[in-house]
Amino acid sequence: MPMLLVCTLGAIELPIRMRRAAAAVAVAVLIVAVIQVARFERSSPIKSISQYADLYDAIPRSDIVNVRIADQLSFEWAVYYLRDHRAVYTKGELIYYPAAQTDKSSEKSRAADAEYILTDTKQEESAIWSNEKFFLYPLKAPRLQDASATNK
């Protein structure tokens, strides 16, 4: 846009016909820019990350949660918001950082100790917490303090 302004201001000393042509080009570029922004707005399904941010406070930090999320974008946000939690990632992969081939035996034992499972798929049993993207289910009987913390 600054270059367009410089070109338009430079055209001020040109004859009237050239000034009109420069103004027409400026208007055309502006219309194309507005169309591009409108097209991007329509194509972007996510307008807010609040549905992902809810995850940060929904899960107790002291408990182990088994994360099984198929949707790649939801998985990335879950990894971000669960960075301070004790999470075991048994399903899902970061798009930009493919997982290396590692020994998964330690993760299997941690997954067996998990108190909760976080998924993006609705199950038959009722979730103890959910929003538009995630469902949290207990794997073990919740402790009294955890049950009161998740019902806030």
Side-chain angles (χ1 to χ4, degrees):
M1 287 311 246
M3 186 63 175
L4 185 62
L5 180 62
V6 168
C7 292
T8 305
L9 291 176
I12 289 176
E13 298 194 18
L14 295 175
I16 188 86
R17 188 176 270 178
M18 293 295 278
R19 283 188 284 184
R20 286 184 181 156
V25 168
V27 168
V29 168
L30 184 63
I31 289 172
V32 168
V34 168
I35 289 171
Q36 291 288 33
V37 168
R39 196 178 285 165
F40 177 76
E41 273 297 310
R42 278 196 308 260
S43 69
S44 178
I46 299 171
K47 305 295 183 205
S48 169
I49 63 166
S50 64
Q51 57 197 0
Y52 301 107
D54 292 344
L55 195 56
Y56 186 75
D57 293 323
I59 300 171
R61 287 174 187 74
S62 61
D63 294 336
I64 299 174
V65 60
N66 183 351
V67 179
R68 300 185 51 80
I69 298 174
D71 180 64
Q72 291 179 332
L73 186 62
S74 295
F75 181 77
E76 286 190 40
W77 282 111
V79 168
Y80 177 77
Y81 282 109
L82 294 176
R83 66 190 181 276
D84 297 330
H85 293 70
R86 296 175 61 202
V88 180
Y89 302 97
T90 55
K91 182 178 181 183
E93 190 172 318
L94 296 172
I95 301 168
Y96 59 87
Y97 190 70
Q101 295 297 327
T102 58
D103 179 25
K104 303 256 184 195
S105 60
S106 65
E107 283 194 17
K108 285 181 184 177
S109 66
R110 285 186 62 211
D113 294 335
E115 284 93 357
Y116 303 98
I117 184 167
L118 178 72
T119 182
D120 57 349
T121 307
K122 189 169 182 150
Q123 312 261 327
E124 288 182 19
E125 63 188 81
S126 61
I128 57 173
W129 175 86
S130 66
N131 69 2
E132 299 169 16
K133 294 287 179 183
F134 302 109
F135 301 92
L136 182 68
Y137 298 99
L139 290 175
K140 299 177 181 176
R143 294 185 299 240
L144 186 56
Q145 65 186 30
D146 291 342
S148 64
T150 56
N151 290 330
K152 289 182 182 178

